Amino acid sequence: MESHVEEDLVELHVHLDGAIRPETVMYFAKKRGICIGAENAEHLLQQVVMKKPGTLTDFLNKFHIYMPTLAGDKEAVKRIAYELVEAKSKEGVVYFEARYSPHLLANTAVHPIPWQQTKGDLTPEDVVNLVNQGFREGERDFNVKVRSILCCMRHEPGWSADIVELCKKYKKDGVVAIDLAGDESINVTANMGHRKAYEEAVKHGIHRTVHAGEVGPASVVREAYEVLKAERIGHGYHTLDDKELYRELLDKRIHFELCPWSSIITGACCPESEKHPAIRFKKDNANISLSTDDPFILKSTLETDYRLAKWFMGFTENDFKTVNLNAARSSFLPNKEKEELIKNLKEEYEKE
């Protein structure tokens, strides 16, 4: 990457609970008396970080190591939101959308209560309010704009009605979209909770993205697009396996949220970067952007993904400008704010 692009980035796919400082985990582990088998932040990183390709299941299991130290704690929830804005400011990000499941950070008004917590007093709505507070304070202190996407979880369709209601309630207060994350083998046709939530989202003008085609087949992408009416696809690498579907999504300019380093580590894509689907997407002028996904588990920053794209996938500085403008245009900001973001990016990129 060259300097101008480094300083004006837009990121659309980063998980709040996958972008946490190890020092913060250790602080709350000590404060709350929770043993996680790590003596310090460096030791914790040795347990959490995946350094070589594995499976998505291996990847998701890493959350079990540290999430119990944060879930159910009001100070922790607000702090991780604030610290994420600070981290993104240091990466040159001017706007990002962070996604999370409020239920996975709650310890009451959620069934089952996650991470084997005992019942407490932090509801999913409380979580949304605390994240909003952390983000607002981060915006003020670091001059970065951030909005939230609330995640439904495929293995918990009973939570999805709550998620869409929270999206509706906080539509003008920091929350811009609904997402569906988790095990792609759990289809939405058999789990009506997700489908009904997305139907409600469409009805009320809630923006929609879906994790699909990461490790799952192209049929999951088709389901996301045709059944859930997704406007963006999280990952979407295996869309390429269905030529008809791929052509339709290209024609419709559906946005693909690509996470290059994550896709290799989770086993979603071939570890030989030169064969990565991002190369095909770029060649076909697909509507794509680059994101980190879960930088804590990957021990990465956006620079990691941009360097991978540059060195092994043939992305140029002009390509990086294009993907960031793609991200801005495909963001879930209101039109006026989106136009302002695009204008500011173009002005910065033209200074060379």
Side-chain angles (χ1 to χ4, degrees):
M1 288 190 299
E2 301 297 331
S3 59
H4 289 289
V5 179
E6 271 182 343
E7 295 171 358
D8 299 280
L9 306 179
V10 177
E11 183 171 16
L12 299 183
H13 192 118
V14 58
H15 292 261
L16 173 63
D17 51 356
I20 298 165
R21 295 176 181 173
E23 295 82 4
T24 300
V25 174
M26 294 307 302
Y27 171 83
F28 285 103
K30 182 177 180 180
K31 176 188 174 185
R32 302 176 72 188
I34 298 173
C35 179
I36 56 174
E39 298 176 359
N40 52 49
E42 189 58 38
H43 188 199
L44 177 63
L45 283 172
Q46 291 173 13
Q47 294 184 44
V48 171
V49 174
M50 285 185 65
K51 298 182 177 68
K52 59 184 180 180
T55 67
L56 184 59
T57 300
D58 296 333
F59 190 86
L60 295 177
N61 282 339
K62 297 292 186 177
F63 287 87
H64 292 267
I65 297 173
Y66 64 88
M67 281 297 288
T69 69
L70 306 168
D73 189 284
K74 295 177 182 179
E75 180 189 355
V77 172
K78 181 179 175 181
R79 177 168 164 177
I80 62 174
Y82 179 84
E83 290 180 344
L84 179 56
V85 186
E86 181 179 16
K88 290 301 164 186
S89 72
K90 293 177 180 177
E91 294 177 34
V93 173
V94 294
Y95 174 70
F96 71 99
E97 294 174 0
R99 61 191 70 197
Y100 64 96
S101 163
H103 294 71
L104 290 179
L105 287 162
N107 61 8
T108 192
V110 53
H111 179 78
I113 297 175
W115 318 115
Q116 299 181 322
Q117 299 176 87
T118 56
K119 187 175 181 179
D121 61 357
L122 189 64
T123 69
E125 183 167 0
D126 292 334
V127 170
V128 174
N129 276 306
L130 288 163
V131 171
N132 282 351
Q133 290 174 34
F135 281 163
R136 280 194 294 268
E137 292 178 16
E139 286 182 310
R140 176 198 67 202
D141 292 347
F142 305 111
N143 195 32
V144 175
K145 179 175 282 193
V146 54
R147 296 294 182 265
S148 297
I149 297 173
L150 303 186
C151 293
C152 303
M153 303 304 297
R154 286 185 183 268
H155 66 288
E156 294 292 353
W159 296 354
S160 293
D162 289 346
I163 290 295
V164 74
E165 289 304 312
L166 288 169
C167 287
K168 288 159 60 177
K169 184 171 183 177
Y170 290 90
K171 184 179 179 181
K172 296 184 178 180
D173 188 14
V175 175
V176 293
I178 190 170
D179 181 28
L180 178 59
D183 186 351
E184 291 182 53
S185 68
I186 302 172
N187 67 70
V188 298
T189 303
N191 293 273
M192 287 300 295
H194 302 317
R195 185 169 183 170
K196 288 179 180 178
Y198 270 73
E199 288 172 351
E200 185 74 0
V202 171
K203 180 180 177 181
H204 290 272
I206 305 297
H207 287 297
R208 302 161 306 282
T209 183
V210 175
H211 282 71
E214 181 179 11
V215 297
S219 59
V220 182
V221 180
R222 182 177 292 279
E223 181 181 67
Y225 175 63
E226 295 181 351
V227 178
L228 301 181
K229 310 303 180 186
E231 301 164 87
R232 295 188 340 216
I233 300 296
H235 304 288
Y237 313 112
H238 293 281
T239 309
L240 297 177
D241 299 335
D242 183 332
K243 294 180 181 179
E244 180 183 349
L245 174 65
Y246 179 50
R247 176 49 56 187
E248 182 173 1
L249 298 191
L250 283 178
D251 291 344
K252 297 290 186 181
R253 300 299 291 164
I254 296 298
H255 186 82
F256 294 92
E257 307 157 355
L258 307 186
C259 306
W261 182 233
S262 168
S263 70
I264 292 171
I265 293 299
T266 61
C269 297
C270 175
E272 297 178 39
S273 303
E274 297 86 349
K275 299 179 181 179
H276 197 280
I279 298 170
R280 174 69 184 278
F281 285 133
K282 179 170 72 74
K283 179 183 177 183
D284 293 340
N285 193 33
N287 183 7
I288 61 172
S289 61
L290 303 179
S291 295
T292 54
D293 200 12
D294 295 285
F296 179 26
I297 299 172
L298 296 162
K299 199 178 181 182
S300 66
T301 65
L302 266 177
E303 183 177 11
T304 309
D305 291 279
Y306 276 73
R307 288 188 182 278
L308 183 65
K310 178 179 180 178
W311 293 344
F312 298 101
M313 301 175 190
F315 279 67
T316 65
E317 184 183 357
N318 283 335
D319 291 327
F320 291 139
K321 292 176 183 178
T322 298
V323 298
N324 279 284
L325 287 168
N326 286 344
R329 294 186 184 103
S330 299
S331 71
F332 292 141
L333 283 170
N335 286 336
K336 186 176 180 180
E337 293 178 57
K338 183 185 297 191
E339 289 169 5
E340 182 180 5
L341 175 61
I342 294 167
K343 176 176 175 288
N344 291 341
L345 288 177
K346 286 182 175 179
E347 287 176 355
E348 291 300 318
Y349 294 162
E350 288 169 1
K351 287 181 180 179
E352 297 181 18

